Each structure stands twice: as structure tokens, then as C-alpha cells.
Amino acid sequence: MEGTLWAFLPAVIAIVLALVTKQVYVSLFLGIFVGAMMYAGGNPLKAMFTLYQVMSEKVGSNTPIIVFLVVLGILVVLMQKSGGAKAYGDWASKKIKSKSGVLAATAGLGCLIFVDDYFNCLTVGSVMRPVTDKFRVSRAKLAYIIDATAAPVCIIAPISSWAAAVAGELEGDGLMVFIKTIPFNVYALLTLVMVFALCFFKFDFGKMKRNMEIAEATGDLHAGADASDEEASSGIAANPKGKVRHLVIPVLVLIACCIGGMLYTGFFYNWDTGLIDKELQSANFIEAFSNCDAGMSLAIGSTVALVIISVYYMIARVVSFKEITGSFTDGFKAMVPAILILTFAWSISGIMGAKGGYLDAQAFVEANLANSAFPQFLFPAIFFILAGAIAFSTGTSWGTFGVLVPIAVTILGGSGTMAVLTVSATLGGAVFGDHISPISDTTILASAGAQCNHVDHVNTQLPYASLVAGIAAISYVVAGLCVNLGSVLSCVIMWATALALFAIAVIVLKQLGKKKNA
């Protein structure tokens, strides 16, 4: 069954079961086991061996990310014990006078942390969650804002772990080609437009609207959903002497250390020898970000930040050494749900062969795309839809880049307007699939950052992401038809189409909301 359409069956089983049963862990495990059984030819013992072999490979290669999550969990607990989180919440409640203001502030912070989506999800969630809770913003809405300003911001930021991943898949000066894709990335940019439109125009629809209404009326921020993933540190007593600076300074230290970690691993470090090698230094900061190891950078940066922040808290006498060491267990507990889901999500992607191997879904995609006979103007829209489907099935944007970007470059060649447009559509489609997939790591971390029921987050975000994706797909067809007019004019026409469709959608949704309320 390797290299065939059957390679996607494990993801289909896991996703359908997760949405129907609401039991994410069991659903993902069963999906992995089905994939292992397919690979083992129906032999259950060999399937179990394969299952744990894949899991060990994926956990081993992603150990730095797990370390980063645990350290971040510890830091969140420390910020709560210091009283900094409570002080910031009290200060923000006085300064921010409306729900629109707090939503916009959350989205703005999400846009500022563009270095990495993992870092974005958990940092924005831990900082803004106490404030949004005071304004009775549902956890599903908070999770949506976190998710919608994580990957979309990273995929349009030239200095980010995502830019490095994409540039590595492109020929020649990959970073310059990536920069050219930014204006054409309709899904990412329009998602950000939609986030701020929702904040300022005060409208929601679908299940998200129901969740917000319940939160406002009753104070139930989970809108009746299972809140079993509520953070383990929620009952921790805050130091009454805590100040806003006891939150702001640690967050700034964490950001600085993580960026420093990226520059270190990309600028100076030789991964072959394990030593600093001046002969292999990157030429500039942008090249350093392109060469960095994002997972290792975040692990190193967060660990250094933990040491600095611990010393700062002890000097400020808001957290004792005993409380710091006690936070290690609490921080780990808080991150167990996210780590467990990520482990399963990485494993199901591995058994499917999103990047080759095992069931080899990559080979199936490559073989079928290479023989396609679609008109060239449809390529951007086709790659957008394919990228969305693959990212949704595999739960990995980066794996989707690895499969489709080289194919797009091979078919269309060079860095012409059509090639740039198609690569951009692929990037946007991968982010869309990532957004709506229950097994996506970024979606999982957005749920963890907001402390939102994961399935509830997926269900409430789906209509929002799908609306933007539909507009993006139509816009890419228009752009493909206009590509001979030049990159600037085709981009202008594409965006005129996208914004016009978005405005119509907003007007229709608001009118439908008014009729329903009447």
C-alpha cells in the first residue's frame, strides 16, 4: 500500500474519530496503529514494533521542541507565582476598556511575535489569557486569535523559522524567492485582515458566536465543553507583591534569548563538529535565521531564559528558590496534554510518510502531480487546494512544503511570476490545512496556549478558516488568468478580487446575524 492513496487512510480515521468521539488521544493512537498494520501487512506484532519505532524516531528528532514546551510551562507557572500575571491582568483591565480592545491587543501581540509559531502560541496564550478571561472572551475565541496570528504571521515574515524552512526547499536564492511570495499569500494576509475585522466590527458566526454568547451571559468560558485540559497551575497562589514588570521583563528576556538562540545556531554553530566554526559563519542576520535549527534554538534560548528569570525573581524576592524548583513539576504537568497530542500527531505524519518512507504519501502526490494535464492558469488554485488537503491529512505545514514546493518549481521552473504565485498558493494552502487539522501541531499548541478544549477549537475555527480559504482559491484563479499582465498588476487584481469578496461576505454575515437576532 506504499505510495498509494491508501497512505492517507490513517489520518482520515484519526480525524473522523476525533471529531465524532471527541477523544483525541484514542483517535490518534488508533490512526497510527491502522497505519502500522497496513505497513506490517496485517501482522499485529510487527505493527506494534513499527508503531513504537515511528514514535521513537519522531519524539527523538523533536526532543528540543518538547524541552521548549516543558521550559515554557515552567516559566508560565513562575510568572503566576511571582504575581506578575495577576498584576498585568489588573493593569490591562484598567487600561483596556472594551472587549474589542482586548481582542485587538491579543491579535497585535500575536503579530509582534513572528519568529516562531510554537513560541507565538504559548507566549500569547500565557500573557493574554488572564486579561481575556476578565472580559469574558470564550477560550475558543482566544484560541482562534492565537492560531490565526501564529502561522500566518510566520509565513510572511522573512526572519522566522518558517521562512528558513521554505527557503530550504527553493532553488538558488531561496530567501529572495520567499520574499517575492509574500504579497501573493492571500490566505495568510487575509486571515490577519479577518482577525482585526472581527475585533473591531464585533461580529461572530457559527459555533463561535454561540460560545461567545454563553461566555458573556454565564461566565462559562468553555461554553460547556470539557475543560479537562485546564492548566495544572490554575490554582497556584500569586504573590500579592507582584508587579507588571515581573511579567513584562521575563517575557522580553524569553524573546531575546530565543532570538539569540536562533542567531547562535544559524550564525556560528557547526552541526557537523559540534563546535563554533568561524569559517562557516553566515554572511548576515537574515542568512543566520535561514540556517538556524528552530527547535534547538528555542530549547537553548528558553533554557537560558529560565536561568536568568529565576535569578531575577529571587533578587526581586517574589519567588523563592524552593518555589522555583517546585515549579518544574507543575510546569511539566501543564504541558503533558500538548506533548501527548504532539507525539501522536508527529507519529501519524511519520507512518503516513509525509516526507517519504513507510506508507510514502509523498511518492503518491509526486507521481500524480507530475502527470497532471491541467491548464497552467489553474496551477495556483490547484496547488492551494492540494496543499490544504495534504496539510489537513498529515497535520504538518512543513511536510507539505517539502512535498509540493519542489514539484511546483520543477513543473514551472525558475522564479517567474507563475512559479512565485504557485509557490505562494502552496504556502497559503499549507497554512489553511494546518489551521483546520485536529492533528496539526500549531492547532494543538493554540489550544494549549488558550487552555481551550482542543476539539472545540477545531470546530469553531473551521468556518472562519474555510471562508478565507474559499476567497483565496477564487483569487488564485483570477491571478492565474492575469499572470501575463505582470506580477504587480496581477497582484493588484488578485487583491481587489479578494477584498471585494471579503467585504461581501462580512456584509452578508452581519445581515444574517441581525435577522437571526430579530
Side-chain angles (χ1 to χ4, degrees), residues 352-431:
M352 289 169 57
K355 294 184 178 181
Y358 292 97
L359 296 180
D360 210 355
Q362 179 180 2
F364 171 78
V365 175
E366 290 177 344
N368 283 273
L369 273 180
N371 298 321
S372 64
F374 293 103
Q376 195 173 84
F377 78 88
L378 288 177
F379 268 54
I382 290 170
F383 271 76
F384 176 81
I385 295 169
L386 280 174
I390 293 171
F392 174 78
S393 302
T394 61
T396 168
S397 295
W398 289 21
T400 304
F401 302 157
V403 173
L404 291 182
V405 169
I407 295 174
V409 172
T410 300
I411 293 175
L412 298 168
S415 57
T417 302
M418 180 57 80
V420 170
L421 179 60
T422 304
V423 169
S424 182
T426 303
L427 304 184
V431 174

Side-chain angles (χ1 to χ4, degrees), residues 7 10-11 28 32 54 58 342-361 390 393-397 399-400 439:
L28 286 172
I32 300 166
V54 173
K58 288 297 179 179
L342 277 175
T343 298
F344 287 154
W346 288 330
S347 300
I348 202 167
S349 174
I351 196 68
M352 289 169 57
K355 294 184 178 181
Y358 292 97
L359 296 180
D360 210 355
I390 293 171
S393 302
T394 61
T396 168
S397 295
T400 304
I439 60 175

Side-chain angles (χ1 to χ4, degrees), residues 477-497:
V477 173
V478 173
L481 289 169
C482 300
V483 75
N484 291 330
L485 300 176
S487 60
V488 175
L489 194 54
S490 60
C491 186
V492 170
I493 295 172
M494 178 187 72
W495 272 106
T497 303

Side-chain angles (χ1 to χ4, degrees), residues 224-301:
D226 179 15
S228 59
D229 288 349
E230 187 73 27
E231 62 182 350
S233 56
S234 58
I236 289 174
N239 190 327
K241 297 181 181 179
K243 305 294 183 184
V244 174
R245 64 175 177 271
H246 296 141
L247 175 72
V248 175
I249 291 176
V251 169
L252 293 177
V253 168
L254 181 60
I255 293 172
C257 288
C258 286
I259 293 175
M262 288 184 172
L263 291 175
Y264 171 70
T265 62
F267 215 144
F268 300 111
Y269 200 70
N270 182 350
W271 294 101
D272 294 328
T273 63
L275 301 171
I276 292 176
D277 191 337
K278 293 184 178 181
E279 293 182 0
L280 297 178
Q281 285 182 3
S282 303
N284 50 54
F285 286 106
I286 294 178
E287 187 176 323
F289 274 99
S290 298
N291 295 336
C292 79
D293 182 312
M296 188 65 71
S297 303
L298 293 174
I300 293 172

Side-chain angles (χ1 to χ4, degrees), residues 8 10-19 28 345 348-349 352 384-397 399-400 429-441 443 458-459 462 465-466:
F8 292 92
V12 173
I13 291 173
I15 291 168
V16 171
L17 285 176
L19 295 176
L28 286 172
I348 202 167
S349 174
M352 289 169 57
F384 176 81
I385 295 169
L386 280 174
I390 293 171
F392 174 78
S393 302
T394 61
T396 168
S397 295
T400 304
V431 174
F432 166 58
D434 187 83
H435 269 167
I436 62 174
S437 176
I439 60 175
S440 158
D441 46 10
T443 305
V458 174
N459 287 335
L462 179 60
S466 298

Side-chain angles (χ1 to χ4, degrees), residues 97-164:
K97 303 298 183 182
S98 67
K99 187 169 293 185
S100 295
V102 74
L103 292 174
T106 304
L109 181 61
C111 292
L112 287 175
I113 304 178
F114 55 80
V115 176
D116 184 78
D117 57 324
Y118 286 4
F119 182 37
N120 182 306
C121 289
L122 295 171
T123 302
V124 175
S126 62
V127 171
M128 295 305 299
R129 190 170 60 249
V131 188
T132 57
D133 284 356
K134 286 181 178 290
F135 283 87
R136 293 192 173 187
V137 174
S138 73
R139 292 292 177 85
K141 185 64 174 287
L142 175 60
Y144 167 70
I145 293 177
I146 292 171
D147 210 351
T149 55
V153 168
C154 292
I155 200 62
I156 60 172
I159 301 177
S160 71
S161 56
W162 285 55

